[in-house]
Amino acid sequence: MARRIFRAIIQLTSAAAFTFLVIFLLDRNYRVLPNAIHGYMPSHHPGLVVTDVTIATCSSLNIFSSCDLDPKKWHRLDKDLYLGKTWISSAYIFVSRKHEEELADGDKVVMDISTGRLQPQPKGESDDPWEKRPNGLWIKRSAKKQASDSSSAVTDIDVLYGDDAVEARDGWAITGTPLLLKTGSKLPCVQLTIRRGPHHERKKPVPRINDNGRFKILQIADLHLSTGVGKCREAVPDTYNGQKCEADPRTLDFVTRVLDDEKPDFVVLSGDQVNGDTAPDASTAIFKWAHLLIERKLPYAAIFGNHDDEKTMSREAQMALMESLPYSMSAAGPVDVDGVGNYYVEILARGKSDHSALTIYFFDTHAYSSNERKYPGYDWVKPNQIEWFKKTATSLKANHERYTHHHMDISFIHIPMTEYANYTFPRLGNWLEGVTAPVFNSGFHDALVEQGIVMVSAGHDHCNDYCSLSMQNDQNPTPAMWMCYAGGAGFGGYAGYGDFIRRLRVFEVDMNLARIKTWKRLEYGNTASRVDEQIIIDGGKPEPLPIPNNQEQNLEKPPGVDKPPGADSPPGKVAPPGSA
């Protein structure tokens, strides 16, 4: 018996070792493991200069080919130029770097990079020559003294994907034409992007109430951007400018128009910016929306939805990237609290005051239930997130009381709370699909109300765009908190309920009256109007929904709801059917 057990252990160990070895060898050449394992993002190395660049291609049909070069000389940029979408080929950029103080006589520094079939034209007789590399890559290197000190010296390299790729990072620029790869019509082209000179840390913006006492926030929900232009889903109309509808260009045109019309002071991206399934390179998708805000010098903050990190860069890596971008107020939040992106932003009072006038809380509402059998559907805000929020809000109260006007607290989330599904609450706007809130009610709503949050706004359910007023409880029907949806903005996400038109939500805060007004802007049709404009906060308190002509509030059951859930589910209980 002992020998059999020993023999079984040996066989299992051997099988495990063999499997590990096969996966390791395959992953070394073809990156078969998820991108998140590799920290799918470029490395920034202060003080390093690029001394050489090349491209290595490997094929499963050629056992002697390798996508690994000498690690003592080369650093591999862990982005497969074919995005892992081909059966037999992979290709990677390799970069050789040195610290400036380690440069020896004769060492060359890369001063310029170009792409194309033909050698770039020299700018003068004394110009350093262009050197050819694979796939249409050309580099120009200099051995001149002090070359590494030049602001033209190349200090980092990355790749982005698609004809619509843009840069959003300080000091970075796309080189021009794509690399010469046989990507075919189904894969986006590969764009080389470089940074010149040292990496500079930009100071975080300090958002402040305007001199007229007002502050406008634009909420952008569910962009669902891709690597490449993406495909439109349930678009109204299904063509765009007389041509085929392409998801990302149309989505970004819409956002651009509203940015220029509304001229917000602050932008909130409330999750699912990245359509994970169609965005294997998340940075390409992130830079598309970030570029629009950065060129307008708009401060912004982002949280994650359930799709942002599906089959692409991890939340931690995406947040690190967003934190580094100009005008970003995004933050990973405490490492000992569940999720990535639990943080707050203070909007200071007008003038030169250091006092906060408005506090905006952001939460990671996670993705899918960790206990699908008992609580199917979506995850919930965890107890340590709620505890962090309570402690933080309590600690800020003393400072907020110094503000001479009425300080207000608001919040943004991605997945709605269970209470959103209570159709007996007064509301204004469209409820076209079932509320896909967590089945388990963790008490998040009650914690927000307890700490004085006057309004919260979500994304996630693209075709719901209503604002609903929750009540303290059945015995005390006093307004507790407004709960809004933004409505979906992106054509890469679904919208198949009643010819739903993409939209964005605007919040205008007036600190003179401690008032918050909200409305929506449409992508098609009545594009100039403020749709469902309403005052939700007045005098710093939730404002009841006015009922015109003494009519009763319409409390008919919307689609997908069987009976009132939400508030009927006390914290720690499962919401009734129809809530998710």
Side-chain angles (χ1 to χ4, degrees):
M1 178 64 73
R3 288 183 179 180
R4 289 181 189 173
I5 295 174
F6 181 74
R7 191 184 306 121
I9 292 172
I10 293 295
Q11 290 172 341
L12 286 172
T13 303
S14 300
F18 177 75
T19 303
F20 175 81
L21 181 62
V22 170
I23 293 174
F24 173 78
L25 291 174
L26 286 171
D27 188 62
R28 186 189 69 174
N29 287 346
Y30 309 114
R31 282 305 191 249
V32 298
L33 293 174
N35 295 328
I37 292 177
H38 304 292
Y40 200 58
M41 65 182 298
S43 301
H44 305 297
H45 298 268
L48 288 173
V49 291
V50 175
T51 57
D52 203 353
V53 186
T54 192
I55 297 174
T57 300
C58 46
S59 169
S60 59
L61 300 180
N62 182 358
I63 61 173
F64 298 105
S65 66
S66 174
C67 278
D68 274 329
L69 301 183
D70 182 1
K72 294 180 181 178
K73 178 182 178 182
W74 296 102
H75 164 79
R76 184 166 89 174
L77 180 65
D78 271 333
K79 288 187 176 184
D80 181 2
L81 301 184
Y82 293 106
L83 289 169
K85 300 294 185 180
T86 60
W87 285 100
I88 61 173
S89 297
S90 293
Y92 292 91
I93 299 262
F94 283 84
V95 181
S96 181
R97 294 187 283 225
K98 279 191 174 183
H99 284 280
E100 293 181 62
E101 61 270 17
E102 294 175 352
L103 291 172
D105 291 341
D107 280 342
K108 294 182 177 182
V109 174
V110 176
M111 303 301 294
D112 205 356
I113 294 179
S114 184
T115 52
R117 296 187 184 280
L118 302 178
Q119 178 177 326
Q121 292 298 314
K123 298 176 183 177
E125 292 183 6
S126 61
D127 231 16
D128 295 305
W130 286 97
E131 303 174 37
K132 189 176 182 179
R133 297 292 186 266
N135 304 104
L137 176 63
W138 298 85
I139 66 172
K140 182 187 289 186
R141 299 192 294 171
S142 175
K144 296 174 184 176
K145 290 184 177 181
Q146 309 305 319
S148 62
D149 293 333
S150 170
S151 59
S152 298
V154 176
T155 54
D156 215 340
I157 295 176
D158 195 7
V159 292
L160 300 173
Y161 298 84
D163 291 318
D164 62 336
V166 293
E167 256 299 351
R169 294 169 289 191
D170 269 340
W172 288 79
I174 293 175
T175 56
T177 58
L179 290 170
L180 303 180
L181 292 165
K182 295 180 181 179
T183 55
S185 59
K186 294 185 178 181
L187 289 177
C189 64
V190 182
Q191 308 269 17
L192 197 65
T193 177
I194 62 174
R195 185 184 72 198
R196 297 182 187 274
H199 174 62
H200 295 290
E201 289 288 342
R202 184 189 285 249
K203 288 185 178 180
K204 293 287 184 183
V206 181
R208 185 179 293 278
I209 302 296
N210 295 310
D211 290 339
N212 63 3
R214 295 184 178 182
F215 190 82
K216 187 182 286 187
I217 300 170
L218 176 65
Q219 181 185 0
I220 303 175
D222 299 272
L223 286 171
H224 285 271
L225 298 173
S226 297
T227 301
V229 296
K231 294 181 180 180
C232 286
R233 297 180 60 185
E234 296 108 22
V236 179
D238 59 3
T239 59
Y240 186 58
N241 293 333
Q243 298 182 14
K244 177 184 176 182
C245 179
E246 294 178 324
D248 290 9
R250 184 168 176 180
T251 297
L252 296 169
D253 282 352
F254 172 39
V255 173
T256 297
R257 172 167 58 81
V258 175
L259 285 172
D260 293 340
D261 283 355
E262 292 288 352
K263 294 179 172 55
D265 302 295
F266 192 81
V267 175
V268 172
L269 296 114
S270 56
D272 282 358
Q273 290 78 242
V274 177
N275 193 49
D277 247 3
T278 62
D281 184 61
S283 54
T284 295
I286 290 170
F287 292 164
K288 292 180 187 181
W289 61 257
H291 170 74
L292 298 179
L293 307 181
I294 292 166
E295 68 178 1
R296 289 165 176 78
K297 300 180 179 179
L298 279 171
Y300 56 90
I303 52 177
F304 295 116
N306 51 297
H307 290 294
D308 283 292
D309 58 344
E310 285 182 334
K311 300 181 182 179
T312 187
M313 185 188 290
S314 68
R315 291 187 182 217
E316 290 81 2
Q318 287 190 44
M319 183 59 78
L321 183 60
M322 289 191 292
E323 285 177 323
S324 72
L325 295 177
Y327 300 101
S328 174
M329 304 290 291
S330 306
V335 295
D336 57 344
V337 174
D338 282 318
V340 180
N342 302 295
Y343 62 105
Y344 65 94
V345 172
E346 298 276 38
I347 312 299
L348 300 186
R350 73 182 91 180
K352 298 181 179 180
S353 172
D354 291 330
H355 293 145
S356 168
L358 178 72
T359 303
I360 308 175
Y361 289 94
F362 299 91
F363 296 89
D364 184 351
T365 51
H366 313 291
Y368 305 102
S369 173
S370 56
N371 189 344
E372 187 66 28
R373 186 169 183 174
K374 189 173 183 180
Y375 306 117
Y378 291 95
D379 210 347
W380 51 89
V381 173
K382 306 300 181 183
N384 64 6
Q385 291 176 273
I386 296 174
E387 186 63 24
W388 164 81
F389 163 66
K390 287 182 176 180
K391 288 182 178 179
T392 302
T394 301
S395 69
L396 294 174
K397 283 188 182 346
N399 182 53
H400 293 168
E401 289 173 357
R402 299 190 185 101
Y403 178 52
T404 55
H405 290 63
H406 198 302
H407 182 278
M408 290 189 287
D409 298 297
I410 63 176
S411 179
F412 289 91
I413 56 179
H414 179 70
I415 297 174
M417 298 174 291
T418 310
E419 285 77 7
Y420 271 71
N422 192 326
Y423 67 82
T424 67
F425 290 156
R427 66 180 184 274
L428 178 63
N430 295 293
W431 187 332
L432 300 179
E433 60 173 308
V435 174
T436 53
V439 172
F440 181 79
N441 188 335
S442 65
F444 182 41
H445 168 275
D446 292 353
L448 294 180
V449 172
E450 176 189 317
Q451 294 299 324
I453 300 291
V454 292
M455 64 129 279
V456 60
S457 195
H460 190 57
D461 296 327
H462 301 182
C463 301
N464 291 339
D465 72 351
Y466 60 84
C467 284
S468 171
L469 180 59
S470 70
M471 299 297 172
Q472 295 284 357
N473 52 59
D474 291 338
Q475 290 73 36
N476 179 21
T478 303
M481 179 176 65
W482 276 99
M483 305 180 297
C484 294
Y485 274 115
F491 285 86
Y494 74 87
Y497 291 82
D499 291 331
F500 184 82
I501 295 170
R502 268 68 174 192
R503 58 203 61 205
L504 298 169
R505 182 174 283 280
V506 180
F507 296 93
E508 185 179 68
V509 182
D510 186 345
M511 299 309 301
N512 302 304
L513 303 170
R515 173 180 291 173
I516 300 178
K517 186 185 295 185
T518 187
W519 60 89
K520 293 158 288 189
R521 296 294 302 270
L522 302 182
E523 191 271 341
Y524 175 75
N526 193 11
T527 59
S529 295
R530 295 180 169 187
V531 178
D532 290 336
E533 183 174 4
Q534 65 177 124
I535 295 172
I536 56 174
I537 308 298
D538 204 12
K541 297 179 180 180
E543 176 74 1
L545 185 68
I547 302 175
N549 302 322
N550 296 318
Q551 297 177 2
E552 290 187 5
Q553 167 73 29
N554 179 13
L555 299 179
E556 293 182 2
K557 288 188 291 184
V561 175
D562 296 321
K563 58 181 179 178
D568 295 339
S569 297
K573 299 293 184 181
V574 180
S579 65

